[in-house]
Amino acid sequence: MAGDLSPVRTEEGTSLSVAVFCGARSGISPRVTQSAEAVGALLGMRGHRLVYGAGSVGVMGVVARAAERHGAPITGIIPRFLRELERDDAAPEQQLVVTEDMFTRKREMFARADAFLALPGGYGTLDEVIEVVSLNYLGQRPRPLVLLDVDAFWTPLLRAVMAVQERGFTRGPLSVPFEITADPVIAFEALEKMAGDLGAR
């Protein structure tokens, strides 16, 4: 995997709460799991906090366990019905927030995040990414969004977003509304730079 995973701390005062969107299943590519491990490790090594969907399985569980091993504080947010289904699964130590439904879960995650990073995932992951794109477009507390493009997973979404713009359904010049990279280190560097530019702390 590209990038240097040596311990790096961002400048004092730049610790971010990073909401990581990812799947509750592992998918078929081992590269997704490898990238999830790197994301969790980098959260801790770069002094950030993890906000995620509180799952202990799939890509979610890999990110959270790696974050815990590297000292990142964790906030997990889960709707009650999923909490009941996953009660027997061993999640990393975390501040747990239980919501009444999926909509409230997403609102809580968004409220607690300074920046967003998305790994490959399922329908929920796609929904979260599109909502961040939409909110940023509308100027509703714009925050950094980086897509970790493992095995070109996000390339179809990029094409769809550009089609929306090219066909006149958005205002302003054509632009990519997120950063996209296959390298976890570059992903965090982009998050940190964009957050600094936006004054997120």
Side-chain angles (χ1 to χ4, degrees):
M1 180 173 299
D4 180 7
L5 295 187
S6 300
V8 175
R9 289 283 177 176
T10 53
E11 294 180 7
E12 185 176 355
T14 60
S15 177
L16 301 172
S17 289
V18 180
V20 176
F21 304 141
C22 54
R25 300 179 69 89
S26 297
I28 62 174
S29 171
R31 285 182 289 273
V32 175
T33 299
Q34 292 164 5
S35 295
E37 287 269 5
V39 166
L42 286 163
L43 281 163
M45 291 190 295
R46 299 179 83 92
H48 301 312
R49 301 175 294 276
L50 170 63
V51 177
Y52 85 123
S56 60
V57 296
V59 182
M60 271 199 241
V62 173
V63 171
R65 283 188 289 274
E68 180 186 41
R69 285 195 302 272
H70 289 84
I74 302 172
T75 298
I77 303 172
I78 191 168
R80 193 173 305 281
F81 80 95
L82 283 181
R83 172 65 172 158
E84 294 301 321
L85 289 174
E86 299 178 10
R87 186 173 294 278
D88 294 333
D89 295 330
E93 183 176 345
Q94 60 190 267
Q95 176 191 3
L96 186 66
V97 178
V98 180
T99 66
E100 290 303 314
D101 52 46
M102 294 288 283
F103 298 105
T104 309
R105 175 208 222 176
K106 187 164 58 175
R107 186 168 63 242
E108 284 288 332
M109 288 182 72
F110 285 22
R112 294 165 186 263
D114 300 313
F116 304 95
L117 188 153
L119 284 147
Y123 298 131
T125 302
L126 297 177
D127 171 57
E128 290 158 342
V129 167
I130 289 295
E131 182 141 356
V132 173
V133 170
S134 180
L135 290 172
N136 284 351
Y137 170 73
L138 295 170
Q140 298 300 294
R141 193 186 160 199
R143 282 161 287 176
L145 170 63
V146 176
L147 309 186
L148 198 56
D149 200 31
V150 184
D151 296 329
F153 179 87
W154 293 110
T155 302
L157 177 65
L158 176 59
R159 287 199 297 265
V161 166
M162 297 312 295
V164 167
Q165 297 182 24
E166 290 164 357
R167 298 180 188 210
F169 292 106
T170 58
R171 63 180 180 274
L174 299 182
S175 63
V176 179
F178 40 71
E179 293 288 330
I180 184 166
T181 177
D183 187 322
V185 174
I186 293 174
F188 274 92
E189 290 172 349
L191 279 180
E192 292 158 2
K193 181 181 185 305
M194 289 187 289
D197 291 345
L198 289 169
R201 291 292 185 268

